Amino acid sequence: MNTQKIRLVCGECHTINQFPAERLDDTPICAQCKSHLFSGEPINVNSTNLIRHIENSGIPVLIDFWAPWCGPCLSFAPTFKEMAKIVGNQLRLLKVDTQDNQQTAMDFNIRSIPTLALYRDGEELARTSGAFPLPQLQQWVIQHLTEA
Ligand SMILES: [Zn+2]
C-alpha cells in the first residue's frame, strides 16, 4: 500500500495541503478554500508565498521572475502560461513580479529578467535568463529534472 504523502500549496489561499501521492491525479482540491490545486495557470506569488511554495511543493517548481516594464518578460508570458497548461500536475509554475517584490529579487540574486529558476524539494536545480520558445523551455526543464 502506498501511503506516501504529498504536500502542495494552494494557488488561491496559499494554504499548505497534504494528501496521499496517488491522489495527485484526482484533481485535488484545497481543504481550505475548495479551489482546484491545479488551475492550469501560473500562480502569482509574493515573497512570503514564494518561499511557502518552494518549501512545500511535492512536485518540482518553475519560477518566472519578471517585471511589468520588461518587454521580453511580457512576450514570454503567453509561453509560460501555455507551459502551465501542458505540464498539468507534474510541475508548479510560479510568477514573481520583481518590481513589487524587490527584496525577493535581491534575495534570489536575480540580475536580469526574465529569469527562470527550477526547484525540487526546496533546492534550486537550475536557472537561466532570457525568454525561451515553448519547446526549448520544455527541453530545459526535462533536462534538469532528469539529470539532477
Ligand atoms: Zn485554497
Side-chain angles (χ1 to χ4, degrees):
M1 208 172 103
N2 184 4
T3 53
Q4 199 197 342
K5 290 269 172 60
I6 195 164
R7 277 191 294 178
L8 212 55
V9 181
C10 174
E12 292 291 330
C13 70
H14 303 284
T15 293
I16 299 169
N17 283 262
Q18 186 166 297
F19 52 89
E22 64 264 25
R23 295 269 327 276
L24 192 59
D25 292 327
D26 300 342
T27 54
I29 286 172
C30 175
Q32 185 68 34
C33 75
K34 311 298 176 199
S35 298
H36 284 282
L37 289 176
F38 294 99
S39 63
E41 300 263 345
I43 300 168
N44 290 297
V45 292
N46 61 20
S47 51
T48 311
N49 293 330
L50 173 62
I51 303 294
R52 209 172 165 84
H53 277 271
I54 288 176
E55 292 179 349
N56 298 285
S57 290
I59 56 173
V61 177
L62 179 65
I63 309 161
D64 174 18
F65 292 92
W66 70 289
W69 47 262
C70 154
C73 297
L74 299 181
S75 61
F76 177 66
T79 304
F80 201 64
K81 205 171 173 174
E82 189 62 31
M83 181 77 173
K85 236 180 262 172
I86 292 170
V87 297
N89 59 16
Q90 302 298 303
L91 188 66
R92 208 75 172 136
L93 270 71
L94 308 179
K95 283 177 75 107
V96 179
D97 181 338
T98 56
Q99 185 174 284
D100 283 349
N101 300 280
Q102 294 184 12
Q103 185 59 47
T104 304
M106 282 169 68
D107 292 346
F108 281 75
N109 203 19
I110 304 303
R111 293 166 185 281
S112 68
I113 49 173
T115 284
L116 295 168
L118 184 63
Y119 278 78
R120 186 168 58 198
D121 300 328
E123 283 183 39
E124 184 172 326
L125 299 180
R127 73 163 61 182
T128 187
S129 294
F132 291 171
L134 189 58
Q136 274 90 323
L137 177 63
Q138 289 176 286
Q139 198 175 22
W140 183 81
V141 167
I142 291 167
Q143 182 197 333
H144 288 285
L145 285 180
T146 48
E147 80 184 9

